[in-house]
RNA sequence: GAGGACGUAGCUCAGUCGGUAGAGCAACGGACUUUUAAUCCGUAGGUCCUGGGUUCAAGUCCCAGCGUCCUCACCA
């Protein structure tokens, strides 16, 4: 605890801007009254609660006991409010008798409250679900009922009570004892509407998670996907490592790095832009199946598909090639879909994607011809086609021109999932060429809805060729756009002998986007980069 | 980095031709022991993003700035 926050304790109106009308004042006043009752408004440990989701599944333990002692089941309840059962009617049809249900303890955030005389209905929510509490003055007693009068939306409370069903057929905890767990001083967003302003949703992700439907689930799914990816790889004998995030040479990709500085060493450092070069050093060192799943940082533009820091998976398998990586990619994705409990046909906006394996596999040239009608081996035809699209072709390498056409005319059309294989070698400097065709690189990219999800190679392990490629600027590219950043130690590592290997990169954020039907990357990153709050 | 849109109560949003700042929810007071976006009666709540300018008069028009979003550019 800092000195500043101690000061704030004695000074109710803290430096945080919270003077929105009387709303906060009213909540602070209730906090005071809770304290006056000898209750800590910030609560304490609360053991033995049952997750609301688990409580809901215990509906079948609720029985109706007739006067002769026989127990009968309740009628089937419906989640849909339109189909609520009239339990008052049902009870009079089956009565006389009483309802009996299990004793339960729950805790959660107050999402809705409805007063009705000496009665209060409270909907609370924990991370497994939502349930209604019935709080009657007669049932919980004068003291607890007064306490309930000090509840605000957003407060965290605990309850002991019996599970039952109300007259309108809703599964409900009939409160016997209330516990105050934490006061919410800040007012929540409008109920049911929630917080829709995308800026506020990102800046105040805690509010977004707590009050907006589906947000918590989406991030829980992200966690399941990440966990599944790790599990799939572990099952296949891969080991996870943690490479350095501070690099003295930002290599392994063509991207501008963030620059930082180490004071004691007086050293300029770069945040890593890729995981590749250190993982390959580990291949040399004998880690035959190795991967890292972690953050990389690229000092570039922000868009619905780009955040400056994002999560990347890179996998390297000794004695494999890009074909073995293709099978692995498919397995990773199939397992991840199953981990989220979904079927292989996933919604994407108003469209769908069918991930039923095996995914289509098509060559780069095949697709090029299919979508442009131009023979990819005819340099003149490709060049004049690029001209007709308005691309600058002057003095540029034909493969660079071809790839611009590919990105413009083909990629967006790839609904996928489709593995695009066998790229022009000149645009893939870290890739081994085909044994029978040195112009073709053993590489694939996986596309879904025009998004590049995965990228894999048969890795280049010839140290002399690697050194040459580092030094050769790719034709038509500026120095800062080139990936030719010499890493002498990496070349030295290759000279010690890196096994022939397959290497794979998967953009985890984009994978999560696809599997959670999220059209922007900011929906799957908890705290995307924003300018500081004005 | 370029272009466009947006910024009004805690939240979600109206605001006409430049003429007294509006609603719903939330809040506050009251009624109600099976409600469920509870309902009903009443009350209060504003740095109209910020700063200039035009005007008798600016939430509204003009300029600059800040922030977000979209498109593009950058992007293995």
């Amino acid at each position: 605890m800092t000195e500043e926050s101690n000061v704030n304790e004695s000074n109710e109106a803290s430096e945080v801007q919270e003077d929105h009308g009387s709303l906060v004042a009213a909540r602070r006043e209730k906090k005071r009254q809770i304290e006056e009752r000898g209750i800590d408004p910030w609560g304490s440990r609360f053991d033995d609660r049952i997750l609301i989701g688990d409580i809901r599944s215990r509906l079948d333990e609720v029985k109706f006991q007739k006067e002769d002692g026989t127990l009968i089941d309740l009628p089937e309840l419906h989640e849909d409010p339109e189909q609520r059962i009239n339990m008052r009617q049902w009870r009079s049809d089956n009565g006389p008798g009483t309802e009996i249900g299990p004793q339960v303890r729950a805790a959660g955030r107050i999402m809705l409250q409805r007063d009705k005389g000496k009665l209060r209905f409270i909907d609370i929510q924990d991370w497994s679900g939502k349930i209604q509490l019935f709080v009657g003055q007669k049932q919980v007693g004068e003291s607890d009922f007064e306490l309930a009068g000090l509840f605000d939306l957003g407060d965290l409370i605990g309850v002991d009570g019996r599970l039952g069903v109300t007259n309108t057929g809703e599964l409900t905890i009939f409160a016997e004892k209330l516990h105050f767990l934490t006061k919410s001083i800040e007012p929540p967003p409008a109920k049911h509407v929630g917080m829709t302003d995308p800026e506020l949703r990102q800046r105040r992700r805690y509010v977004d998670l707590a009050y907006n439907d589906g947000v918590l689930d989406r991030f829980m799914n992200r966690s399941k996907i990440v966990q599944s990816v790790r599990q799939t790889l572990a099952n296949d004998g891969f080991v996870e490592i943690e490479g350095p995030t501070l690099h003295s040479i930002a290599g392994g990709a063509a991207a501008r790095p963030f620059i930082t500085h180490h004071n004691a060493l007086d050293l300029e450092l770069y945040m890593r832009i890729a995981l590749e070069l250190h993982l390959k050093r580990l291949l040399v060192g004998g880690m035959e199946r190795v991967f890292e799943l972690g953050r990389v940082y690229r000092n570039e533009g922000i868009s619905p598909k780009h955040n400056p820091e994002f999560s990347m998976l890179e996998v390297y398998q000794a004695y494999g090639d890009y074909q073995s990586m293709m099978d692995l990619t498919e397995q990773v994705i199939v397992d991840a879909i199953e981990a989220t409990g979904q079927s292989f046909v996933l919604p994407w906006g108003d469209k769908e994607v069918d991930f039923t394996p095996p995914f289509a596999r098509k060559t780069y040239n095949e697709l090029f011809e299919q979508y442009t009608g131009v023979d990819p081996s005819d340099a003149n035809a490709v060049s004049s086609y690029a001209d007709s699209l308005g691309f600058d072709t002057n003095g540029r390498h034909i493969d660079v021109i071809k790839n611009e056409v590919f990105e413009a005319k083909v990629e967006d059309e790839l609904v996928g999932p489709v593995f695009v294989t066998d790229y022009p070698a000149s645009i893939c400097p870290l890739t081994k060429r085909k044994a029978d065709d040195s112009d073709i690189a053993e590489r694939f990219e996986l596309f879904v809805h025009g998004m590049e999800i995965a990228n894999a190679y048969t890795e280049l392990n010839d140290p002399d060729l690697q050194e040459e490629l580092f030094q050769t600027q790719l034709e038509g590219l500026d120095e800062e756009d080139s990936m030719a950043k010499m890493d002498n130690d990496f070349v030295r590592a290759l000279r010690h002998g890196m096994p022939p290997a397959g290497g794979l990169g998967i953009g985890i954020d984009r994978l999560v986007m696809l599997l959670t039907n999220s059209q922007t990357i900011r929906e799957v990153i908890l705290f995307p980069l924003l300018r500081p709050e004005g």
Side-chain angles (χ1 to χ4, degrees):
Chain A
M1 179 167 283
T2 63
E3 284 180 30
E4 236 176 300
S5 62
N6 281 332
V7 169
N8 285 346
E9 247 172 89
S10 57
N11 182 5
E12 288 283 281
S14 77
E15 287 173 30
V16 181
Q17 283 196 348
E18 61 167 33
D19 190 19
H20 9 271
S22 58
L23 293 172
V24 170
R27 285 165 175 261
R28 286 200 176 275
E29 170 58 21
K30 288 185 197 165
K31 186 206 108 183
R32 198 189 59 74
Q33 290 182 39
I34 288 165
E35 281 170 322
E36 233 170 47
R37 303 176 68 84
I39 297 169
D40 182 353
W42 308 113
S44 58
R45 176 168 171 166
F46 192 64
D47 288 332
D48 303 323
R49 75 187 168 109
I50 307 172
L51 282 176
I52 289 169
D54 294 336
I55 291 175
R56 297 199 74 92
S57 69
R58 293 177 66 178
L59 166 64
D60 57 351
E61 294 177 36
V62 182
K63 303 286 182 193
F64 189 75
Q65 185 170 39
K66 295 193 164 202
E67 277 190 327
D68 62 6
T70 57
L71 295 177
I72 60 172
D73 289 335
L74 298 183
E76 197 188 342
L77 303 183
H78 298 278
E79 297 278 332
D80 182 3
E82 302 289 318
Q83 298 187 42
R84 287 200 182 98
I85 304 282
N86 185 340
M87 284 297 293
R88 189 198 291 265
Q89 184 66 46
W90 185 89
R91 289 188 187 109
S92 73
D93 290 348
N94 291 276
T98 51
E99 205 169 279
I100 57 170
Q103 184 79 26
V104 292
R105 162 173 275 204
R109 191 182 291 278
I110 298 176
M111 305 305 284
L112 285 175
Q113 301 195 90
R114 295 172 291 281
D115 282 345
K116 193 157 195 314
K118 298 288 182 281
L119 195 61
R120 177 173 278 223
F121 293 93
I122 302 174
D123 292 357
I124 64 166
Q125 175 176 298
D126 70 15
W127 71 346
S128 70
K130 205 181 272 194
I131 197 162
Q132 172 173 266
L133 312 183
F134 176 108
V135 181
Q137 187 185 49
K138 208 179 285 178
Q139 290 82 354
V140 297
E142 189 76 32
S143 175
D144 268 9
F145 193 71
E146 280 173 27
L147 176 63
L150 299 173
F151 290 171
D152 282 308
L153 295 181
D155 288 356
L156 301 173
I157 61 166
V159 62
D160 287 300
R162 289 199 175 274
L163 198 57
V165 174
T166 57
N167 278 352
T168 46
E170 173 148 351
L171 185 64
T172 299
I173 298 173
F174 288 82
E176 291 163 359
K177 178 72 196 149
L178 296 173
H179 307 269
F180 198 82
L181 296 176
T182 290
K183 192 69 197 167
S184 172
I185 296 298
E186 199 71 33
K191 59 191 188 189
H192 307 292
V193 180
M195 184 177 262
T196 60
D197 181 339
E199 177 176 0
L200 288 179
R201 289 187 49 218
Q202 290 165 48
R203 286 195 195 282
R204 305 185 194 165
R205 187 65 93 188
Y206 39 88
V207 175
D208 192 33
L209 285 163
Y211 295 100
N212 284 347
D213 283 344
V215 177
L216 181 60
D217 281 347
R218 186 176 335 117
F219 285 105
M220 300 289 263
N221 270 331
R222 178 176 178 129
S223 177
K224 286 179 191 164
I225 289 164
V226 169
Q227 196 179 3
S228 162
V229 168
R230 289 196 158 104
Q231 192 59 51
T232 302
L233 291 164
N235 290 347
D236 213 9
F238 288 87
V239 295
E240 179 170 13
I241 63 96
E242 296 110 279
T245 54
L246 297 173
H247 289 185
S248 48
I249 299 167
R256 290 180 187 78
F258 285 92
I259 302 171
T260 185
H261 187 262
H262 187 279
N263 289 340
L265 298 180
D266 187 20
L267 188 63
E268 183 125 301
L269 290 169
Y270 304 92
M271 305 299 291
R272 67 181 175 189
I273 58 172
L275 314 173
E276 177 156 355
L277 300 186
H278 287 88
L279 285 166
K280 285 182 174 172
R281 283 174 169 94
L282 298 177
L283 275 184
V284 173
M287 291 192 173
E288 297 185 358
R289 293 184 173 216
V290 66
F291 76 96
E292 178 163 10
L293 197 168
R295 287 296 171 86
V296 298
Y297 307 85
R298 297 189 180 179
N299 202 341
E300 280 158 0
I302 295 174
S303 86
K305 290 178 192 170
H306 302 265
N307 192 62
E309 54 176 318
F310 61 100
S311 293
M312 180 91 146
L313 167 72
E314 289 195 28
V315 187
Y316 294 87
Q317 179 183 340
Y319 314 117
D321 69 1
Y322 76 132
Q323 294 289 343
S324 32
M325 291 294 104
M326 226 178 300
D327 299 334
L328 181 63
T329 302
E330 208 167 270
Q331 192 62 48
V332 162
I333 293 175
V334 163
D335 287 352
I337 292 170
E338 285 173 347
T340 63
Q342 301 182 90
S343 75
F344 289 134
V345 180
L346 297 183
W348 181 252
D350 51 9
K351 305 190 188 86
E352 289 185 334
V353 205
D354 187 350
F355 282 98
T356 307
F359 305 162
R361 301 181 181 199
K362 300 203 165 163
T363 68
Y364 183 94
N365 282 339
E366 200 180 335
L367 288 165
F368 188 94
E369 183 148 20
Q370 181 182 339
Y371 286 98
T372 65
V374 175
D375 178 0
S377 63
D378 182 344
N380 288 332
V382 169
S383 191
S384 61
Y385 182 76
D387 271 332
S388 74
L389 293 173
F391 290 133
D392 177 18
T393 56
N394 219 351
R396 309 183 76 187
H397 192 289
I398 185 60
D399 287 340
V400 173
I401 296 169
K402 194 197 285 183
N403 200 48
E404 278 195 18
V405 172
F406 190 89
E407 287 176 1
K409 300 299 288 184
V410 182
E411 288 187 359
D412 289 348
E413 304 297 323
L414 300 176
V415 174
V418 55
F419 288 108
V420 180
T421 67
D422 299 347
Y423 279 65
S426 56
I427 62 168
C428 312
L430 288 175
T431 313
K432 190 171 276 196
R433 285 90 195 276
K434 284 206 127 149
D436 56 357
D437 186 349
S438 63
D439 290 336
I440 299 292
E442 294 200 339
R443 171 189 184 184
F444 75 77
E445 290 194 286
L446 175 66
F447 281 91
V448 182
H449 276 301
M451 264 199 300
E452 179 200 329
I453 303 303
N455 189 8
Y457 313 103
T458 301
E459 300 295 342
L460 183 65
N461 63 343
D462 174 344
D464 297 335
L465 180 54
Q466 177 70 76
E467 185 168 21
E468 191 186 316
L469 289 170
F470 269 145
Q471 267 161 353
T472 308
Q473 301 283 328
L474 197 57
E475 288 176 62
L477 287 184
D478 297 334
E479 184 174 1
E480 67 174 356
D481 290 332
S482 164
M483 66 164 306
K485 297 182 182 87
M486 178 58 72
D487 186 334
N488 285 312
D489 177 70
F490 176 67
V491 173
R492 175 165 53 206
L494 292 190
R495 284 202 298 268
H496 280 278
M498 185 182 92
L504 164 68
I506 293 181
I508 293 296
D509 308 272
R510 291 182 178 177
L511 178 63
V512 174
M513 284 169 70
L514 282 172
L515 303 196
T516 59
N517 191 16
S518 306
Q519 272 76 54
T520 82
I521 200 167
R522 288 188 285 277
E523 291 288 347
V524 300
I525 292 178
L526 282 166
F527 299 102
L529 186 74
L530 290 172
R531 285 191 165 85
E533 201 170 352

